[in-house]
Amino acid sequence: MSIMSNRTEGDARVNFQTCKSSDPKDRVQFYDTWAETYEEDHNLMDYQAPELAVSFLAENFCGNPEQARVLDVACGSGLVAKLMHEKDFRCFVGVDGSTGMLEQARKTKLYKDLRPAILGPEPLPAEPGEFDVVIIVGALRHGFVPVSIIRELWAAAKPGGFICMSRIDPRCESGDEYKVNMERELQQMEEEDLLKLVATREMNNYIKDPYRNYSAEEQDERFLHGTVYLYRKVQ
């Protein structure tokens, strides 16, 4: 019998706001405490980025998903792996900086391996050319994961492998700066013949904005937007 929760959207907003305002050094510990209600809070905020990114990847993936090795970067509680499993992907390795989140991911029983790493300060724990798919959803933003991680994602992919990345557009100057820096890095890597763009897609309903309260007249503007990028590693 399922247990009914009394959590509200207001409770979820508090956790999102606390996470954003936390010092980056303390954020991992906050995620540890958030892990048990993380998925519930994201559902309350209509977090659609994982489903949008996974669907976009599946539409463009060529190959046998059951045989593809997938690196789920900043895997959190395992939302992305659950959705990819529905698309017939079966072999997952997860990476996250929070031991609490890794424990939740372990409960899904989908991952062949779970590897702890605080991205940026610590290198991505993956051998070069190890994965057919490298995916990161939700973490590419100012104060969370640096743009420099993109080259590490590229290194982890096999030649011809897919790299799928989602980026949120927060309503702040730092969000605009991150977008510019990220897209500049991707363009540079294309010019270096490291990556080839498959496609991008705008996501108009990434997540409800957890940092602002909206009046009834503003409900159509309550969602933050974002972009999902899909590249292939040049052989």
Side-chain angles (χ1 to χ4, degrees), residues 3-230:
I3 299 174
M4 296 298 293
S5 171
N6 293 321
R7 292 190 68 76
T8 67
E9 184 176 310
D11 296 326
R13 285 177 176 274
V14 168
N15 275 337
F16 278 96
Q17 291 165 6
T18 303
C19 177
K20 180 183 178 183
S21 63
S22 297
D23 185 284
K25 295 179 182 178
D26 299 328
R27 192 170 290 141
V28 170
Q29 293 181 341
F30 178 75
Y31 272 110
D32 288 342
T33 66
W34 192 10
E36 288 191 5
T37 62
Y38 178 83
E39 287 194 21
E40 185 176 1
D41 286 356
H42 280 68
N43 286 336
L44 286 166
M45 298 305 296
D46 288 342
Y47 182 49
Q48 299 181 37
E51 183 173 356
L52 294 168
V54 168
S55 294
F56 184 62
L57 169 65
E59 288 169 15
N60 291 279
F61 183 77
C62 51
N64 185 344
E66 293 186 0
Q67 296 178 354
R69 285 178 54 81
V70 179
L71 182 63
D72 183 5
V73 182
C75 66
S77 59
L79 277 169
V80 166
K82 291 176 186 178
L83 291 165
M84 292 188 70
H85 189 266
E86 293 175 4
K87 303 290 187 182
D88 297 327
F89 291 89
R90 293 291 181 266
C91 185
F92 301 98
V93 172
V95 175
D96 203 274
S98 164
T99 56
M101 288 294 183
L102 290 174
E103 182 57 34
Q104 294 300 313
R106 186 172 290 110
K107 292 178 182 179
T108 68
K109 299 182 180 180
L110 294 176
Y111 293 90
K112 306 296 184 184
D113 191 16
L114 288 163
R115 305 173 183 177
I118 301 174
L119 302 175
E122 299 173 2
L124 184 66
E127 294 297 321
E130 188 177 355
F131 294 94
D132 300 283
V133 177
V134 180
I135 186 167
I136 181 169
V137 176
L140 290 169
R141 56 185 299 191
H142 176 73
F144 286 75
V145 174
V147 169
S148 59
I149 193 67
I150 294 173
R151 289 186 181 258
E152 296 184 57
L153 304 178
W154 167 85
K158 294 179 180 179
F162 289 83
I163 302 168
C164 184
M165 301 167 283
S166 81
R167 177 192 50 74
I168 193 171
D169 285 327
R171 295 184 173 103
C172 61
E173 184 177 340
S174 59
D176 293 338
E177 182 181 357
Y178 194 99
K179 175 181 179 179
V180 169
N181 290 337
M182 179 177 170
E183 294 186 346
R184 180 187 297 125
E185 177 72 345
L186 290 168
Q187 181 179 353
Q188 178 64 36
M189 293 178 73
E190 284 190 88
E191 292 172 358
E192 294 174 22
D193 204 27
L194 301 177
L195 292 174
K196 182 176 181 180
L197 177 65
V198 177
T200 65
R201 179 177 294 171
E202 297 303 310
M203 297 185 287
N204 294 328
N205 294 326
Y206 195 104
I207 190 173
K208 286 181 182 176
D209 189 343
Y211 314 117
R212 290 179 57 193
N213 292 315
Y214 289 87
S215 67
E217 294 77 15
E218 297 176 310
Q219 287 304 301
D220 290 343
E221 302 174 13
R222 69 191 185 279
F223 276 92
L224 293 173
H225 299 173
T227 307
V228 59
Y229 306 79
L230 186 61

